[in-house]
């Protein structure tokens, strides 16, 4: 018998089943194709198809000219919405595209010309809000984002909570299909809700659901105004798809309300005078600031107040409140000798003056005081105007002697004048002497910090101090901005980099939600790009893996950023938690073959972050394990960023 070429066995039943599924017309091979197949059988057997060929109907739908769609008469409602948005000079709109806001999306890019705002394509809603978060902390102006109904807002929720805790304005517009009689069935209905804003209402400052175009105009301007009134915070608007898509009614007279900023709340005159009296007569006044400075002027005002009093200043780092090169800068322990403490926009006044020791005798924490019993406490904090009940970001209750529910930066000018008037003539010499002692103590503390940074300088994996200082050596002559430091690198940047300008340090996430660092650094780098500054971030490994798609957004929109990886291959905070509990319970932490307890390590396999960044359009190198190689690679990366591209250096580091 003649030997047959091997080919797949197809029974008559399987063949007929294929015809039934794919259609008879597509199951029959055209003559030309059949001839070609016959000619090629001598060289290669036919392959089993991975998918059935398309039916004739599918083929026509995919290749034929589509039928003319019915035109919408009149001016689309979403065009008017774009007119409203443009009056507020919102420069960018980071967002992940979706159907529930397709109408306003189309209006923004075609009617609005994709300018003011410019649509920035994001791979995740959390990244979009995170970018807006970081952008504001550089630019001082909010961005808006569009979210898709229930699922989009759920994705965004963590970043919204960070913005809430960090007192940052973000305008979130969520697409929604309200009318059940007209919305499409299936997925669009699953993604709709009666009240999508309920998802984030507990951690937004205000929200609304406009039911008309005029309502939208009022709501959007109001949302912007509320978000930009200290204490700042995110706001949300639910935007019905039908309202976006329907044309404006003939003869409808619409107007756009004029935006007038609200003056920030200032401290009561009597309270300011009492605070000034206490500070002026104090033997050892201490100022503690968290988010006190909203601008460069806020930093200047705080320096002026501190120098008038020669008061020690503790900067808790919610913003760059006080230069770390100033001789009055002190560590948190300085509260111990204070007789008067002025707290400015403190997230947690209780923890400022009290200590909490984890795992006491019965497995519960122990509370102890950090201050003397007679110490007077003064608080200026606008967040008291924002407190809600559910989420506990307001921290423990702390009784104080003078309490002002007011914006600290807005209150400082009046407080400065009141302190000048309150200082007795016979106190000025003592105040000056206090300053001389502070200069000496500052110099000694700075020298101790440098000595601590030199420990394990040549270690491999690289010490966090060397990671930070090798980076500093390459950017120190640039107009730099540390846009994020998402990993715990023992606070070396704020301890050793000379931070004197407001944008040198932007603070942390606010809500301590992992996944903030990468998106916020890209958003802040976007603002710095427009201002001509150099952006650098210390990027931790676990944080980047929450939403790595933001790397693509940075490359796509040409946002220059130097990301230096703090790649310690673990969730190190959780490593310590499990180790501490194991020790407390007289057990050995199970490592499971990794460097840390099971469930806390990011290794085996090790993530190649440089390859991840390269795949999304970044220049990248690594992993760097030898500290001697760091300087040359970071120098190369800096040159890339200066040319207008993002760059990532993957460095294997010590845990913290």
């Amino acid at each position: 018998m003649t030997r047959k070429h091997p080919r797949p066995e197809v029974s008559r039943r399987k063949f007929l089943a294929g015809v039934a599924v794919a259609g008879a017309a597509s199951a029959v091979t055209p003559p030309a194709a059949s001839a070609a197949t016959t000619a090629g059988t001598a060289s290669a057997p036919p392959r089993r198809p991975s998918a059935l060929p398309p039916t004739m109907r599918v083929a026509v739908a995919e290749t034929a000219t589509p039928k003319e769609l019915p035109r919408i008469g009149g001016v689309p409602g979403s065009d008017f919405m774009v007119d409203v948005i443009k009056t507020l000079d919102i420069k960018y709109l980071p967002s992940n595209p979706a159907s529930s806001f397709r109408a306003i999306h189309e209006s923004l890019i075609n009617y609005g010309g994709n300018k003011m705002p410019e649509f920035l394509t994001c791979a995740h809603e959390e990244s979009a809000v995170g970018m807006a978060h970081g952008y504001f902390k550089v630019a001082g102006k909010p961005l808006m984002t569009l979210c898709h109904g229930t699922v989009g807002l759920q994705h965004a929720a963590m970043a919204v909570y960070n913005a809430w805790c960090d007192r940052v304005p973000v305008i979130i517009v969520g697409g929604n299909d309200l009318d059940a009689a007209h919305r499409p069935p299936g997925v669009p209905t699953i993604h709709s809700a009666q009240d999508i804003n309920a998802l984030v209402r507990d951690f937004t400052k205000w929200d609304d659901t406009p039911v008309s175009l005029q309502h939208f105009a009022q709501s959007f301007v109001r949302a912007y105004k509320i978000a930009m009134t200290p204490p700042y915070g995110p706001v949300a608007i639910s935007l019905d798809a039908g309202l976006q898509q329907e044309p404006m009614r003939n003869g409808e007279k619409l107007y756009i309300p004029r935006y007038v900023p609200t003056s920030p709340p200032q401290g009561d005159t009597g309270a300011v005078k009492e605070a000034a009296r206490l500070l002026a007569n104090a033997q050892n006044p201490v100022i503690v600031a968290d988010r006190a400075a909203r601008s460069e002027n806020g930093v200047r005002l705080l320096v002026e107040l501190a120098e008038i009093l020669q008061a020690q200043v503790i900067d808790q780092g919610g913003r760059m409140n006080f230069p770390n090169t100033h001789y009055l800068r002190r560590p948190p322990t300085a509260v111990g000798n204070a007789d008067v403490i002025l707290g400015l926009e403190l997230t947690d006044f209780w923890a400022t003056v009290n200590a909490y020791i984890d795992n006491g005798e019965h497995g519960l924490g122990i509370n102890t005081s950090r201050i003397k019993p007679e110490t007077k406490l003064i608080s200026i904090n606008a967040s008291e105007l924002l407190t809600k009940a559910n989420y506990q970001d307001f921290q423990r209750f702390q009784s104080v002697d003078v309490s002002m529910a007011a914006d600290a930066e807005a209150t400082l000018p009046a407080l400065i004048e009141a302190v000048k008037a309150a200082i007795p003539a016979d106190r000025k010499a003592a105040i000056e002497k206090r300053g001389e002692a502070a200069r000496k103590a500052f110099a000694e503390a700075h020298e101790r910090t440098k000595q601590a940074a030199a420990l394990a300088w040549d270690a491999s994996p690289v010490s966090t101090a060397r990671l930070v200082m090798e980076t500093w050596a390459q950017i120190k002559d640039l107009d730099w901005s540390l846009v994020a430091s998402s990993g715990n690198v023992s606070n070396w940047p704020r301890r050793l980099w000379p931070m004197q300008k407001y944008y040198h340090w932007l603070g942390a996430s606010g809500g301590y939600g992992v996944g903030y660092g990468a998106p916020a650094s890209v958003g802040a780098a976007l603002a710095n790009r427009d201002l001509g500054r150099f952006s650098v971030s210390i990027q931790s490994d676990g944080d980047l893996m929450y939403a790595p798609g933001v790397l693509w957004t940075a490359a796509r929109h040409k946002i220059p950023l130097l990301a230096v990886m703090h790649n310690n291959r673990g969730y190190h905070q959780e490593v310590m938690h499990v180790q501490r509990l194991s020790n407390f319970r007289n057990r050995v932490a199970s490592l499971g073959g990794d460097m840390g307890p099971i469930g806390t390590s990011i290794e085996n396999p090790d993530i190649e972050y440089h390859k991840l960044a390269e795949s999304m359009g970044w220049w990248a190198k690594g992993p760097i394990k030898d500290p001697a190689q760091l300087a040359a690679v970071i120098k190369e990366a800096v040159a890339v960023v200066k040319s207008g591209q993002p760059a990532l250096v993957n460095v294997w580091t010590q845990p913290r």
Side-chain angles (χ1 to χ4, degrees), residues 358-364 577-589:
D358 192 15
N359 293 341
E361 182 180 351
H362 301 290
L364 301 175
H577 277 305
V578 176
Q579 287 176 335
R580 183 171 178 82
L581 263 294
S582 297
N583 292 342
F584 187 73
R585 294 168 177 174
N586 294 317
R587 293 199 281 241
V588 177

Side-chain angles (χ1 to χ4, degrees), residues 297-319:
N297 186 52
V299 177
R300 183 189 64 79
L301 289 170
L302 184 53
V303 170
E304 184 179 356
L305 177 63
E307 290 180 347
I308 291 170
L309 292 164
Q310 292 299 309
Q312 300 176 69
V313 178
I314 300 167
D315 189 343
Q316 294 184 337
R319 299 291 185 273

Side-chain angles (χ1 to χ4, degrees), residues 34-119:
S34 179
T37 302
T38 303
T41 53
S43 57
R47 294 188 307 166
R48 187 188 298 272
S50 60
L52 293 171
T55 66
M56 189 70 73
R57 184 174 63 181
V58 171
V60 169
E62 292 181 350
T63 60
T65 303
K67 293 181 179 180
E68 185 76 9
L69 293 173
R71 301 291 180 179
I72 297 175
V75 178
S78 55
D79 283 4
F80 174 71
M81 295 176 182
V82 171
D83 289 335
V84 174
I85 293 167
K86 281 182 175 292
T87 65
L88 295 166
D89 295 329
I90 298 171
K91 197 166 186 179
Y92 300 106
L93 193 163
S95 180
N96 183 251
S99 60
S100 62
F101 55 79
R102 62 181 183 174
I104 195 170
H105 183 172
E106 190 276 338
S107 291
L108 284 162
I109 61 175
N110 292 328
Y111 173 72
N114 198 33
K115 291 181 180 178
M116 301 299 286
E118 176 188 348
F119 200 107

Side-chain angles (χ1 to χ4, degrees), residues 319-569:
R319 299 291 185 273
M320 209 300 284
N321 301 288
F322 195 79
N324 63 357
T325 55
H326 199 286
Y327 66 93
L328 290 171
R329 180 75 171 258
R330 285 295 178 276
T333 53
V335 297
N337 293 321
D339 56 346
V340 176
I341 296 173
L342 170 63
L344 301 176
E345 303 289 352
L346 301 189
T347 300
D348 192 350
F349 209 136
W350 187 92
T352 300
V353 297
N354 292 280
Y356 176 84
I357 301 172
D358 192 15
N359 293 341
E361 182 180 351
H362 301 290
L364 301 175
I366 300 172
N367 304 328
T368 61
S369 178
R370 300 179 189 269
I371 62 175
K372 297 181 290 187
E374 66 274 13
T375 302
K376 298 293 185 181
L377 305 180
I378 306 166
S379 174
I380 307 176
N381 195 339
S383 291
E384 292 185 20
L385 303 170
L386 197 64
T387 303
K388 294 191 179 182
N390 191 16
Y391 290 87
Q392 304 294 295
D393 60 293
F394 47 79
Q395 300 292 327
R396 291 197 188 191
F397 183 80
Q398 176 61 48
S399 296
V400 299
D401 298 283
V402 180
S403 179
M404 287 176 258
D407 179 70
E409 183 171 316
T411 304
L412 279 176
L415 181 60
I416 288 169
E417 293 306 312
V419 167
K420 288 178 181 177
I423 294 177
D426 59 357
R427 292 281 303 142
K428 293 181 179 179
I431 290 174
E432 186 176 340
K433 187 176 181 181
R434 195 159 62 207
E436 293 172 2
R439 291 178 189 275
K440 181 180 178 182
F442 177 79
E444 292 173 351
H446 188 65
E447 187 59 35
R448 289 194 298 270
T449 300
K450 290 195 295 184
Q451 292 174 2
L455 296 174
W457 189 255
D458 295 318
S460 178
V462 180
S463 74
T464 54
R466 184 153 188 183
L467 170 82
V468 166
M469 294 313 293
E470 292 284 10
T471 302
W472 163 247
Q474 302 304 322
I475 67 168
K476 63 182 180 180
D477 296 325
L478 304 173
D479 187 16
W480 57 271
S481 175
L482 181 59
V483 290
S485 183
S486 56
N488 190 330
V489 289
S490 297
N491 210 20
W492 289 119
R494 294 180 58 232
R495 292 165 71 183
L496 289 173
W497 292 12
M499 294 184 175
Q500 299 169 309
K501 298 178 180 178
Y502 179 73
Y503 56 83
H504 279 167
W505 167 247
L506 304 184
S509 65
Y512 298 94
V514 181
Y516 161 88
S521 63
V522 171
L526 174 66
N528 280 327
R529 181 193 69 182
D530 296 347
L531 295 166
R533 297 177 188 146
F534 185 94
S535 299
V536 58
S537 71
I538 308 298
Q539 177 62 57
S540 68
D541 45 6
D543 178 276
L544 180 59
M545 292 308 294
Y546 269 63
V550 77
L551 299 177
W552 178 86
T553 299
R556 170 69 177 83
H557 295 285
K558 299 179 175 57
I559 302 172
L561 167 65
L562 171 61
V564 181
M565 290 297 301
H566 169 36
N567 180 7
N568 62 9
R569 301 161 309 287

Side-chain angles (χ1 to χ4, degrees), residues 90 93-95 101 125 128-130 132-133 142-149 152-157 159-161 163-164 168-175 196-197 199-201 203-210 216 219-220 223-224 227 233-239:
I90 298 171
L93 193 163
S95 180
F101 55 79
E125 289 85 356
V129 176
H133 188 160
L143 298 184
M144 66 174 290
T145 187
L146 293 163
C147 287
H148 175 49
L153 201 52
Q154 287 177 80
H155 276 308
V160 177
Y161 186 64
W164 164 264
V168 168
V170 180
I171 301 170
I172 303 111
V173 178
I196 61 169
N197 292 336
L199 287 164
V200 294
R201 184 163 293 133
F203 44 92
T204 49
K205 206 175 170 190
W206 182 79
D207 69 84
D208 198 12
T209 302
F216 172 82
S219 291
F220 196 86
Y224 189 97
V235 292
I237 291 178
S238 173
L239 193 54

